Amino acid sequence: EEQASGFRPLFVKHGYVQVIVDVRGTGSSEGVWDQFGPQEHRDSWDVARWLVKQPFSDGRFVGYGASCMAVEQLFLGAQRPPGLKALFPIVPMDDLYRDVMWHGGALDAPFLAVWHGMVNATRVVPPEFIITDPAQAAETAQWTGARVSPQSVSAMETLNHPYDSQYYRERSPGTVVGKVNVPTFVTGGWFDVLQRGTPRIYNALRLPPGRKKLLIGPWYHFTVGHDLGKPGTPPPVDALALAWFDRWVKGKRNGIEHYAPVTVDQLGPERWQTYRHYPRRDVEYKRFYLNGKGGSTL
C-alpha cells in the first residue's frame, strides 16, 4: 500500500516533509484525468512552485515514487523547477505507445482495464481529510463521484489513437528526459510491464555516472525491492533513496554517488552484478526465427 501511494515513513523520520498529490481527475482531485497530458505537466509545475513557498519548506525538494509517480517526476524534472534537487523514479516508462498502450503492436487491453479501473476506483474512496474538514470532503466526494464512469475519457482517447502520434509523444517522458539536470536514480524490474522503458530512461539521462544510477532486480510492477537488504543483495530501495536524497539535499558525504552506475540481478546465475554501462559492453545479439512447430531455429 505504501509503495502504491508513495508514502514512506522512513523519509519523514529523517527530517523530510512528504507531500503526495492526486493528479487532476484522480483520487480526491477535481477535473478530468488526461493520463500524462500537457495539463498534468503544467499542474506539476504549479505544485512545485507552491511547495517551495510553504512554511515547512526550506526551498529544496525531491521527487520519489513508482509507476505513474515516476513518470510525473521525469516530466517535472524536465521543466527544471527552482528548488528541485534529485529524483528517484521507480519503474518509469519511456514511451506511452510502445511500453503501455499498444505493447508489441497490439492493444494491451488487460493492463488498461486494470489501470483505468484502479484510477476510477480511487475516486469513490472518501477524501482523507473527511475528519478535519467534513464539509469540503462531502463536496469533493460528490463532485468526483459524479465523474466516475465504466470507461474513463482516457480509455476512449486511447482507442481514438491506434497509431503512434503527437498524442503519445507529448505523454512519453523519453522525449524530454534529456532535459533533466538533477541527480536521478532509476529503479526497474526484469519482469515489469515497463521493463523495456526503464533502462531507456537511464540511458537518455544526460548526466555523468555519479549523478545517475540504474538498479534492476527480479521484480514485477508491484514487487520492486522484494528481498533486498539480505546478504549479497543491495540495500532496500527506501534506504537507497534516503541516501540519495541526503547526498543531494543535505550534502552528506555518504558515498552514494560512488555506487555502481548499473546494478542488476543477473538472470541465469542469479547473482547481483555491477556494470559501467547498460547493456554491458560484452553483450552479443543473436537473431532467432520461429519455425512451423512453434519453436525457434538459429
Side-chain angles (χ1 to χ4, degrees):
E1 180 181 350
E2 289 178 356
Q3 182 79 327
S5 67
F7 175 58
R8 307 306 290 169
L10 180 66
F11 302 156
V12 178
K13 292 177 181 178
H14 284 79
Y16 293 89
V17 175
Q18 189 159 24
V19 177
I20 301 174
V21 180
D22 293 333
V23 301
R24 184 183 297 255
T26 72
S28 298
S29 293
E30 299 178 0
V32 176
W33 182 47
D34 190 27
Q35 54 183 15
F36 314 122
Q39 182 61 57
E40 283 190 18
H41 308 165
R42 293 190 290 270
D43 288 345
S44 65
W45 171 269
D46 290 341
V47 169
R49 300 300 294 132
W50 169 86
L51 181 64
V52 297
K53 297 177 182 178
Q54 299 311 300
F56 57 74
S57 173
D58 65 0
R60 298 173 294 175
F61 70 101
V62 297
Y64 172 87
S67 195
C68 293
M69 292 176 284
V71 174
E72 294 294 350
Q73 284 180 67
L74 296 172
F75 278 121
L76 176 60
Q79 299 179 72
R80 301 181 177 181
L84 180 63
K85 297 301 179 182
L87 299 176
F88 202 98
I90 302 169
V91 290
M93 70 174 177
D94 165 68
D95 183 327
L96 182 63
Y97 185 81
R98 291 164 179 80
D99 292 346
V100 180
M101 299 303 184
W102 300 85
H103 205 161
L107 179 65
D108 195 346
F111 177 77
L112 291 176
V114 172
W115 182 24
H116 291 147
M118 290 177 64
V119 171
N120 270 338
T122 63
R123 308 199 70 193
V124 299
V125 177
E128 292 187 0
F129 54 86
I130 191 170
I131 301 299
T132 57
D133 192 349
Q136 180 61 41
E139 181 180 342
T140 300
Q142 181 180 16
W143 197 96
T144 57
R147 304 294 298 186
V148 175
S149 62
Q151 282 187 307
S152 68
V153 173
S154 298
M156 296 304 294
E157 277 296 297
T158 300
L159 298 178
N160 290 336
H161 298 276
Y163 303 109
D164 197 4
S165 63
Q166 180 64 23
Y167 174 85
Y168 292 106
R169 285 190 288 275
E170 65 187 10
R171 290 167 171 79
S172 298
T175 62
V176 299
V177 69
K179 298 178 181 179
V180 173
N181 65 346
V182 297
T184 302
F185 196 123
V186 184
T187 301
W190 288 129
F191 314 128
D192 175 36
V193 66
L194 304 178
Q195 187 278 329
R196 171 191 178 274
T198 298
R200 293 173 68 90
I201 287 294
Y202 169 79
N203 284 334
L205 288 165
R206 297 175 181 174
L207 300 169
R211 294 173 67 86
K212 71 173 184 176
K213 306 292 178 185
L214 176 64
L215 173 70
I216 304 182
W219 306 310
Y220 294 90
H221 201 64
F222 293 111
T223 64
V224 173
H226 180 67
D227 276 345
L228 289 185
K230 295 182 178 180
T233 72
V237 171
D238 55 355
L240 288 170
L242 179 62
W244 192 248
F245 297 152
D246 281 350
R247 172 65 184 89
W248 303 114
V249 176
K250 299 181 180 180
K252 289 188 177 181
R253 297 292 178 176
N254 53 23
I256 189 67
E257 71 272 23
H258 302 306
Y259 205 73
V262 179
T263 304
V264 304
D265 176 79
Q266 188 63 49
L267 299 181
E270 296 296 336
R271 64 174 181 267
W272 287 91
Q273 297 184 344
T274 59
Y275 311 149
R276 293 185 59 82
H277 310 275
Y278 185 91
R280 56 194 235 185
R281 295 302 194 195
D282 61 349
V283 165
E284 296 181 0
Y285 294 90
K286 293 183 179 180
R287 179 170 294 180
F288 289 82
Y289 300 89
L290 298 178
N291 64 27
K293 297 180 181 180
S296 63
T297 303
L298 286 175

